[in-house]
Structure formats: C-alpha cells, structure tokens
Amino acid sequence: MEKMTEKFPQPLRPRRMRISEAVRSLVRETVLLPTDFIYPIFVIAGKDKVEPIESMPGCYRYSVDKALEVAKEAWQLGITALEVFGLPEYKDEIGSSAWDMESPVQRALTAIKQAIPEMTLISDVCLCQYTSHGHCGKLNGCYVDNDATLELLQKVATSQAEAGADIVAPSDMMDGRVAAIRSALDKGGYINTAIMSYAVKYASGYYGPFRDAADSAPSFGDRRAYQMDPANAREAMKEADLDVEEGADMIIVKPALAYLDIVYRVRQRMNLPLITYNVSGEYAMVKAASQNGWIDEKRIVMETLLSMKRAGSDAIITYHALDAAKWLQESK
C-alpha cells in the first residue's frame, strides 16, 4: 500500500461524507417535508361514500363528509394543502355544474375551510369532468372555442373562491385564462385568492388513471390541440412567461417525472413558486410494480419525490402524500 501511494497521488475521498447516516443527514442537500406535499382528493355527491379507484390503488372518491375526515388526517400528518377535484351530479355541453354552489367541490371547499381554517385549499379550474363531451371548454363544432371558454372559467374560479378556495388552479390550457380569471376574481372582491397556473401542461399518456378517477375522458378526439406537445421544451418557457405576465402567483409543470428537464429549466428562468404534479400514471406504475413485489415502494416513492424537489420544485402535488408523510414521521 505504501508503494502504491508513492506511485499514485492520494485520492480525494467524498465517501467520508457518506460514512454513516448521521454524516449523510448532516450534509444532505435536498430534504422532503410533509409541508412540501399537496394532496389531491376526489369528491362526489352523497353521504358516507368511499369508492375505490381501480386504476389508482389506495385512492378513493369521497362524499363530502368522508373527504372532511381525509382532510383532518392529512392535517394531522403535517400536510397543509389539498387540491380538490370533483365529479358532478349532472353534465351538460358547457359544464355548468362546475360553478354550481351545490356541487361536491364547492361543498367540500366550504366544509373543509370551516373545519380546518388553516388548511390551504386549492381548487381545479377546468371543465372536462363537467362537460358531456369531456373536453376542457365550450365547443364550436368539434373545436374548443378558446375565448368563449374564458367566460366559463371565470364563473368556475369565482364560485370556488366564494366556497372557500385559497388558490384556484386553472388546468384547461386555454390562452389568456390567467388574465381572465385574475380580472374576475378581483372584480368579485377576491383579491387575495391566488392563481396556481398549470402553465406547462403536456398532452401526456400519464393522465390515464386520473381520467378514470374523474370520469373526464373526452368522448371524441384528444386534447393535443390545446395541451402541449411532449417534444417541445422552448415552448414551455413561452407558456410559463405568458402566465407570469398575466398574473399567475405560482406555476405548475405537469407531468413531473418524464419532464424533470422542464422543471429545472423553468426553475432557472423564474422566481415564482414552482409546483410539480406527480400525476396518476406515475403513481399507478409504482403501485402496480410494488403490488407485484418488483420494487420497494417506500424507497421508490421517496426517491421520486426527492428528484422533483431536487430539480427545483417548491411543492409537489402527489397521490403518495399521505404515505410519504407517514414515512417521514416514522424516520424521525
């Protein structure tokens, strides 16, 4: 060994900083906390209902009373933000149930805000689960009419703010919707209601299980005419810039895992809070592999969530939130 050190220079030893868990935790660059997670919940009409979502094991559709129980569980685990999605009691051509104050989303927002005032409530502003055709806006023939849809989105956002949403999150990908929603919120007196814009939302195959959960698959065609082409990165910067100019308070990149390069590029470009959506397909693949015994679910989930935060996310919308928060508590 002495002869080797004479021949070769003594190597630098980064391994010194990996020698034990105590040292690793001391120098750890990226840390996950329960407050990093936004938990998405699906609400339905009725009472005392918990419906399993077949394609998303461990996720359910809840009646409002049961959703309130889940919100309380999340709060106790240290999760301080929920995003509320809903399935309406009726659908029509323009998705009018999306701004009905008696719809499950509005009722859930009110119930949770009354029970847990400190919980940050985020509402999804879109029409796909409310329209009879499953597209994200008002149709003109088979074309989604961008500007006519903006007026409908204004109604959705203001109704959700009235119900108790702290943040509205437009996910429709219509041009100009952030400015339109900001104008409507301000005129309605909701100047403190923030906008978390799905600024960079790709037309992705990773959304399949969500469409099952929310009954939101389009009845014809697809959404490539308004959601982004997965091949485009520069366009993502343009979309993010436009939404910031229109008044977005936060930016979402969706999906997350296959688009971490986009997350990083958006993070380098702007200083607004950046959110990633760990979408249903990403969740379902992990669950399926875990149930088959092919992976260690806990390790894969935590590594995946770390990758999103390491790439630049300030918060992560994830169906793993409850499990991840429990694992974090266990590791203390």
Side-chain angles (χ1 to χ4, degrees):
M1 191 66 178
E2 289 179 2
K3 290 181 180 180
M4 289 184 66
T5 56
E6 290 175 5
K7 186 175 181 180
F8 298 106
Q10 188 71 15
L12 298 177
R13 298 193 185 275
R15 286 183 56 187
R16 294 189 186 107
M17 296 295 98
R18 306 171 199 154
I19 198 68
S20 69
E21 177 55 28
V23 172
R24 290 191 295 271
S25 64
L26 181 67
V27 299
R28 190 160 289 142
E29 299 172 22
T30 307
V31 178
L32 287 170
L33 301 170
T35 51
D36 293 326
F37 307 140
I38 299 168
Y39 187 48
I41 60 172
F42 299 92
V43 292
I44 55 176
K47 291 184 178 180
D48 197 31
K49 288 185 177 180
V50 179
E51 298 179 354
I53 300 169
E54 185 176 351
S55 57
M56 298 174 65
C59 292
Y60 305 86
R61 304 181 193 93
Y62 300 100
S63 55
V64 172
D65 55 320
K66 292 297 184 179
L68 182 55
E69 293 178 12
V70 174
K72 291 177 178 177
E73 178 187 3
W75 183 258
Q76 291 170 354
L77 288 169
I79 297 167
T80 58
L82 303 178
E83 184 164 9
V84 183
F85 298 89
L87 285 75
E89 293 186 87
Y90 62 93
K91 300 188 180 192
D92 58 30
E93 282 292 306
I94 61 171
S96 61
S97 58
W99 59 86
D100 186 336
M101 293 303 292
E102 293 303 314
S103 283
V105 165
Q106 281 78 356
R107 291 176 50 238
L109 290 168
T110 299
I112 297 170
K113 181 56 67 175
Q114 289 176 348
I116 317 171
E118 301 88 352
M119 176 74 82
T120 297
L121 296 181
I122 304 161
S123 57
D124 175 62
V125 180
C126 197
L127 295 169
C128 57
Q129 52 271 57
Y130 302 96
T131 55
S132 52
H133 46 77
H135 278 282
C136 299
K138 185 176 182 179
L139 293 184
N140 182 355
C142 291
Y143 175 74
V144 177
D145 189 322
N146 190 98
D147 294 358
T149 298
L150 298 183
E151 297 179 11
L152 306 183
L153 297 175
Q154 288 177 315
K155 294 181 179 182
V156 179
T158 52
S159 74
Q160 293 172 346
E162 180 182 348
D166 302 288
I167 301 169
V168 296
S171 61
D172 55 284
M173 288 302 285
M174 297 299 113
D175 294 335
R177 90 275 200 190
V178 171
I181 290 170
R182 183 72 272 158
S183 175
L185 290 172
D186 290 351
K187 288 178 181 177
Y190 304 109
I191 61 171
N192 291 323
T193 302
I195 297 176
M196 177 189 289
S197 172
Y198 287 73
V200 182
K201 182 179 180 180
Y202 286 91
S204 173
Y206 283 99
Y207 303 151
F210 177 92
R211 292 174 182 171
D212 174 34
D215 188 25
S216 63
S219 60
F220 66 89
D222 54 40
R223 296 178 180 144
R224 297 184 197 188
Y226 43 101
Q227 294 179 358
M228 286 182 55
D229 186 339
N232 293 356
R234 293 191 302 271
E235 186 183 15
M237 305 306 107
K238 179 179 180 180
E239 288 283 5
D241 287 345
L242 287 172
D243 282 12
V244 172
E245 290 172 12
E246 290 181 22
D249 299 286
M250 297 175 245
I251 294 296
I252 297 175
V253 175
K254 178 183 180 183
L257 197 54
Y259 297 85
L260 291 180
D261 61 317
I262 305 300
V263 175
Y264 180 79
R265 289 179 66 165
V266 173
R267 171 77 292 154
Q268 298 305 304
R269 191 176 187 87
M270 60 188 55
N271 293 320
L272 288 183
L274 175 59
I275 317 300
T276 49
Y277 200 139
N278 179 208
V279 298
S280 59
E282 297 165 358
Y283 172 89
M285 290 190 298
V286 170
K287 283 292 185 180
S290 174
Q291 289 177 349
N292 278 284
W294 297 335
I295 61 170
D296 180 329
E297 180 179 352
K298 177 180 175 181
R299 287 191 66 182
I300 293 293
V301 168
M302 300 309 281
E303 188 174 339
T304 298
L305 296 176
L306 271 172
S307 76
M308 296 169 191
K309 192 171 181 186
R310 191 181 64 242
S313 301
D314 295 296
I316 304 165
I317 305 168
T318 177
Y319 304 98
H320 294 293
L322 296 183
D323 286 338
K326 290 174 185 176
W327 293 329
L328 289 172
Q329 281 193 351
E330 292 168 2
S331 67
K332 288 183 178 179

